[in-house]
């Protein structure tokens, strides 16, 4: 989880090649720093970034979110996002994926619907399940088939990147690029299996057998 109470927590902004859609394996200008905004009074701390160039700009997760995160399969990825600029820009068309995750050479893009960011921080909840909303990135600015459970498991077991879209409107650069902030990011574990553990199942069987014997004696 990132609450940004102590700083940027290793997050940055990352610009990908624009080939109609982003190419998640090719940098445009790559990494640039985010701005740390500490909590003052009521609001939570957050990080922000301005669209720096003509590539597709994404917030890139810090190291705490990387590595083996298979426990999140079936869970959710949650973050709050707000648009912080006041530019009157047209919305990007087509709109790129609001979220992408990478595990080595396999990149999955989330194509489900999320609200367009507003001036108020609003939470987006992304399911980490093979429900048809995750698709395979073809590494050329296009997307392929829906990800399978095995592919989603493979990525989550070796996360090398999590990317949150920060480029919803036309405009780029330090003078007219749109600006976004994110806060309260969390990767939440999936449901615990309902299958009893071996010892639990054994004890349950013994208890049931005892009840059967007792019932026969009282019959």
């Amino acid at each position: 989880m990132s609450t940004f109470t102590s700083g940027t927590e290793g997050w940055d902004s990352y610009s990908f090649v624009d080939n109609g859609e982003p190419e998640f394996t090719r940098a445009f200008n790559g990494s640039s720093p985010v701005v740390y905004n500490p909590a003052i009074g009521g609001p939570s701390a957050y990080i922000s970034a301005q669209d720096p160039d003509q590539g597709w700009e994404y917030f890139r997760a810090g190291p705490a979110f990387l590595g083996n995160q298979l426990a999140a399969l079936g869970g959710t990825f949650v973050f709050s996002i707000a648009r912080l600029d006041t530019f009157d820009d047209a919305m990007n068309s087509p709109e790129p994926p609001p979220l992408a995750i990478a595990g080595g050479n396999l990149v999955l893009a989330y194509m489900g619907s999320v609200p367009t960011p507003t001036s108020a921080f609003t939470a987006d909840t992304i399911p980490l399940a093979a429900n048809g909303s995750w698709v395979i990135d073809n590494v050329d600015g296009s997307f392929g088939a829906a990800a399978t459970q095995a592919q989603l498991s493979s990525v989550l077991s070796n996360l090398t990147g999590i990317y949150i879209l920060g480029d919803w409107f036309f405009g780029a650069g330090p003078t007219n690029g749109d600006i976004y902030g994110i806060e309260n990011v969390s990767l939440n574990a999936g449901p615990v299996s309902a299958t009893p553990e071996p010892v639990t199942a054994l004890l349950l069987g013994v208890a049931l057998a005892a009840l059967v014997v007792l019932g026969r004696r009282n019959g």
Side-chain angles (χ1 to χ4, degrees), residues 112-162:
S113 177
V114 297
T116 303
T118 68
S119 58
F121 278 97
T122 304
D124 288 348
T125 301
I126 309 296
L128 296 169
N131 57 7
S133 295
W134 289 96
V135 299
I136 300 168
D137 174 44
N138 287 333
V139 197
D140 62 357
S142 66
F143 303 102
T148 65
Q149 181 92 343
Q151 289 167 328
L152 192 57
S153 297
S154 175
V155 170
L156 288 174
S157 66
N158 180 34
L159 272 174
T160 54
I162 299 180

Side-chain angles (χ1 to χ4, degrees), residues 55-142:
W56 286 114
E57 187 263 332
Y58 280 75
F59 291 97
R60 183 169 65 166
F65 287 83
L66 307 183
N68 187 350
Q69 302 290 353
L70 186 57
L73 182 65
T76 56
F77 182 72
V78 180
F79 60 93
S80 291
I81 186 169
R83 187 178 183 189
L84 305 177
D85 65 78
T86 56
F87 303 131
D88 186 19
D89 293 342
M91 191 170 180
N92 291 319
S93 181
E95 189 61 46
L99 182 70
I101 57 177
N105 293 325
L106 180 58
V107 180
L108 304 180
Y110 181 73
M111 305 302 284
S113 177
V114 297
T116 303
T118 68
S119 58
F121 278 97
T122 304
D124 288 348
T125 301
I126 309 296
L128 296 169
N131 57 7
S133 295
W134 289 96
V135 299
I136 300 168
D137 174 44
N138 287 333
V139 197
D140 62 357
S142 66

